[in-house]
Amino acid sequence: MSSDELLAGLEEKWDKAVNHEFIKACIDGSVKPEQFNRWLVQDYYYVRGFTPFAGSLLASAPDSHLETIVSGIAALTDELAWFKDTAQKRGCDVTIIGMQPACVAYRQFMQGLHSEPYAIKATAFWAIEAVYHTAWASVLRNAASEELKQYSHRWGNPAFGEYVQQLRFHADEALAFTPELLPQARKVVEQVADLEVDFWGMAYNEA
Ligand code: HMH
């Protein structure tokens, strides 16, 4: 079992998630400040919900996977501070804006995973981080704007890519032990791709 098999048949959905029009607009510089701000604030709320999911993954992980997950969790302190700071600098008040439905839905999905087997959580965790790495790495490589390149570095950098690779090994390993979970794991990857598309889409909701 490998994550290539996990993605087989889901290529189109995956492509929609990693090459969304929001990402294209970040690359060509046509993204409007208010669109970027909408994504930014919703992602701050998202990461607040992602953190307990990471904790739940850690709680069910085998010994040999602990270091990678702990390093990922440790990075979230800085990430949450970055979101708050960047939102404030861009004039957004995260204490009053509130979550949009696509953010609520994604957080509920993660909450629902808490009680699932480790292999399923590890697959979802990899898929979540993989979408962001692939999407933002293309912004980092191709963006016209220095500011957007800087933002994209957080998930697009090569060290984050190695972390995602490690998560992929974890998911593969866990699924190799429990191959009967493969259909469920594929479903979860599909759900992540769909949720990511809706998430990027929030940038265009003039709520
Ligand atoms: C919506 N997906 C979303 N936000 C993120 N910060 C990540 C993935 C990566 O952690």
Side-chain angles (χ1 to χ4, degrees), residues 62-156:
D63 264 17
S64 60
H65 295 184
L66 292 182
E67 274 96 340
T68 307
I69 304 168
V70 169
S71 76
I73 293 177
L76 293 174
T77 313
D78 178 65
E79 190 158 305
L80 285 166
W82 176 83
F83 272 113
K84 269 194 175 163
D85 185 51
T86 307
Q88 194 181 16
K89 280 188 186 140
R90 296 178 63 96
C92 309
D93 188 342
V94 297
T95 62
I96 57 168
I97 294 173
M99 275 191 275
Q100 288 197 29
C103 183
V104 174
Y106 208 156
R107 285 178 45 139
Q108 278 172 349
F109 165 77
M110 289 190 286
Q111 215 166 15
L113 291 173
H114 283 217
S115 53
E116 294 297 337
Y118 175 69
I120 297 301
K121 287 195 254 196
T123 303
F125 199 81
W126 159 73
I128 289 168
E129 299 289 52
V131 168
Y132 256 44
H133 175 64
T134 307
W136 289 114
S138 76
V139 177
L140 184 61
R141 271 195 311 275
N142 305 313
S145 140
E146 271 314 310
E147 191 184 20
L148 282 162
K149 267 191 201 255
Q150 256 180 32
Y151 292 148
S152 65
H153 187 264
R154 174 162 293 280
W155 298 278

